[in-house]
Amino acid sequence: MQKRVESGLVACFVNDGIIYQKKDMLRILSDLLFVKYEQYDSSGLKKTGEGRVFRVYNNTTNSSILMNGRIYLNVNSFEYLQIHTDPNTNTSYFELFTPDFSIRIYPLDTEDKEVQWQMDTISDKDLFEGEQEED
């Protein structure tokens, strides 16, 4: 591990891994469109849902919100992201961790759902005008 740091190489993840860097979390989550999510705490599964990821951001003022089929994720709401690969389907899913709970995010096939959201008039630009993103 020490040689890697000295040589200037950075991490490389293939299907599995733990991500601590907020920029890397942003890059991974920003590609998502329609997802299924599950919230877990120490007692097990608490809530489930599906929705469209409208925005993934990195700032110290806005909350993460998963409600009514709309998802806004602030990577600063989470300590780290873990990438898992389902051995049955060979597809990756993501788990975001806080000190009290985690949220698993499963990407969904977007073909059927795209039509459902085409008429959505919410403008992301209008909702977040003036918002400053942080590194």
Side-chain angles (χ1 to χ4, degrees):
M1 186 68 161
Q2 186 64 20
K3 286 183 181 181
R4 229 185 260 178
V5 173
E6 290 172 3
S7 70
L9 294 176
V10 295
C12 175
F13 300 94
V14 180
N15 294 337
D16 294 292
I18 297 176
I19 311 294
Y20 292 96
Q21 297 294 323
K22 301 303 183 190
K23 284 185 178 183
D24 290 336
M25 292 169 66
L26 275 170
R27 194 171 22 251
I28 290 168
L29 297 171
S30 292
D31 288 341
L32 298 173
L33 188 55
F34 296 103
V35 299
K36 172 184 156 186
Y37 60 87
E38 300 171 341
Q39 180 186 16
Y40 291 86
D41 67 10
S42 59
S43 65
L45 180 63
K46 291 310 235 184
K47 298 178 182 163
T48 65
E50 285 187 10
R52 178 179 176 195
V53 178
F54 277 89
R55 181 111 163 116
V56 179
Y57 45 94
N58 177 20
N59 68 42
T60 57
T61 57
N62 298 99
S63 301
S64 288
I65 301 169
L66 296 88
M67 179 173 50
N68 295 332
R70 289 169 160 58
I71 299 170
Y72 304 90
L73 293 173
N74 185 345
V75 296
N76 275 316
S77 296
F78 307 98
E79 291 182 336
Y80 64 95
L81 177 149
Q82 186 167 6
I83 305 167
H84 303 277
T85 300
D86 183 328
N88 298 324
T89 63
N90 203 31
T91 57
S92 295
Y93 66 94
F94 312 101
E95 190 163 10
L96 294 159
F97 289 87
T98 75
D100 300 318
F101 64 89
S102 70
I103 297 174
R104 290 184 187 170
I105 298 178
Y106 302 88
L108 297 175
D109 183 18
T110 60
E111 290 179 19
D112 295 334
K113 296 194 175 282
E114 189 62 40
V115 173
Q116 177 182 351
W117 288 89
Q118 281 180 352
M119 300 306 292
D120 197 330
T121 58
I122 291 182
S123 168
D124 204 33
K125 184 178 177 184
D126 293 338
L127 287 173
F128 294 94
E129 192 169 319
E131 176 182 299
Q132 296 289 323
E133 290 199 4
E134 300 174 2
D135 291 334

